[in-house]
Amino acid sequence: YKGVILLCQDHKGKSEALNTGTSRASHNFIFTVDADTVLDKNCVKEMVKPFMDERVGATTGTSRVRNNKNLVEIFQNVEYHYNNLIRNSFSQVFKNGIWFFGALACYRKTVLHAVGLFKKDTLTEDMDMALEIKKAGYRTLHVSSAVGYTTVPDTLRSLYAQRSRWWIGVLQ
């Protein structure tokens, strides 16, 4: 693709890769998406709309489950719908988010730099960044019209591993 630059570096973790990309980016917004997430065609356009308000530091989209065949995946499908409902409700009622999913996120570049970029000492850099953004006085919003489809764990073992990492990261 024209204008796409591939950055290579020694493996130093996701946070370091995000920081390198953010530092080299030439645009005002940093869009992050997990490797297991596929975007709806209007996702990026919808994610940047709230940034018309200078108080918005980051947005997160609606994550939907791609794989929905076995009981573990169906359970997560219900959970994701519930989480999307709660995140959207808080954004609508309070004009601020409560949960932030980095699997599908957009950040104001100046805000990322103002809060010191992504921390390297946490397992959930997205949640940590959302808290730092709020602490700096900016809002985070859920954009219900920005949709991404993610592949969720398909076994209890992989679900447990993922959620353990999430809970430890949030506690950090």
Side-chain angles (χ1 to χ4, degrees), residues 39-88:
L39 307 180
D40 187 66
K41 68 178 183 173
N42 293 320
C43 183
V44 175
K45 180 173 73 172
E46 293 298 316
M47 293 279 282
V48 298
K49 283 181 180 179
F51 288 105
M52 295 293 291
D53 181 345
E54 291 292 325
R55 296 170 296 173
V56 173
T59 59
T60 186
T62 296
S63 293
R64 294 194 180 144
V65 173
R66 278 175 63 186
N67 51 325
N68 193 14
K69 294 183 176 69
N70 70 35
L71 191 58
V72 173
E73 296 164 345
I74 291 168
F75 164 76
Q76 290 170 91
N77 187 41
V78 172
E79 177 192 30
Y80 272 56
H81 281 295
Y82 173 76
N83 285 337
N84 288 325
L85 174 68
I86 295 297
R87 291 185 301 140
N88 191 52

Side-chain angles (χ1 to χ4, degrees), residues 134-146:
K134 288 180 185 195
K135 196 162 73 173
Y138 292 92
R139 296 186 343 219
T140 62
L141 295 175
H142 175 252
V143 182
S144 62
S145 56

Side-chain angles (χ1 to χ4, degrees), residues 18-135:
L18 289 170
N19 289 339
T20 299
T22 299
S23 296
R24 296 279 307 273
S26 58
H27 295 286
N28 297 328
F29 303 106
I30 306 299
F31 189 83
T32 63
V33 61
D34 282 359
D36 61 0
T37 302
V38 176
L39 307 180
D40 187 66
K41 68 178 183 173
N42 293 320
C43 183
V44 175
K45 180 173 73 172
E46 293 298 316
M47 293 279 282
V48 298
K49 283 181 180 179
F51 288 105
M52 295 293 291
D53 181 345
E54 291 292 325
R55 296 170 296 173
V56 173
T59 59
T60 186
T62 296
S63 293
R64 294 194 180 144
V65 173
R66 278 175 63 186
N67 51 325
N68 193 14
K69 294 183 176 69
N70 70 35
L71 191 58
V72 173
E73 296 164 345
I74 291 168
F75 164 76
Q76 290 170 91
N77 187 41
V78 172
E79 177 192 30
Y80 272 56
H81 281 295
Y82 173 76
N83 285 337
N84 288 325
L85 174 68
I86 295 297
R87 291 185 301 140
N88 191 52
S89 297
F90 268 79
S91 287
Q92 294 295 317
V93 173
F94 300 111
K95 305 298 184 225
N96 209 345
I98 185 169
W99 283 302
F100 196 86
F101 288 168
L104 181 59
C106 189
Y107 304 91
R108 190 180 300 276
K109 184 179 175 182
T110 55
V111 172
L112 286 177
H113 282 287
V115 299
L117 297 174
F118 293 93
K119 308 292 183 293
K120 300 171 199 155
D121 60 352
T122 179
L123 293 173
T124 52
E125 77 292 329
D126 50 353
M127 182 59 78
D128 182 70
M129 181 53 68
L131 293 172
E132 291 293 329
I133 288 170
K134 288 180 185 195
K135 196 162 73 173

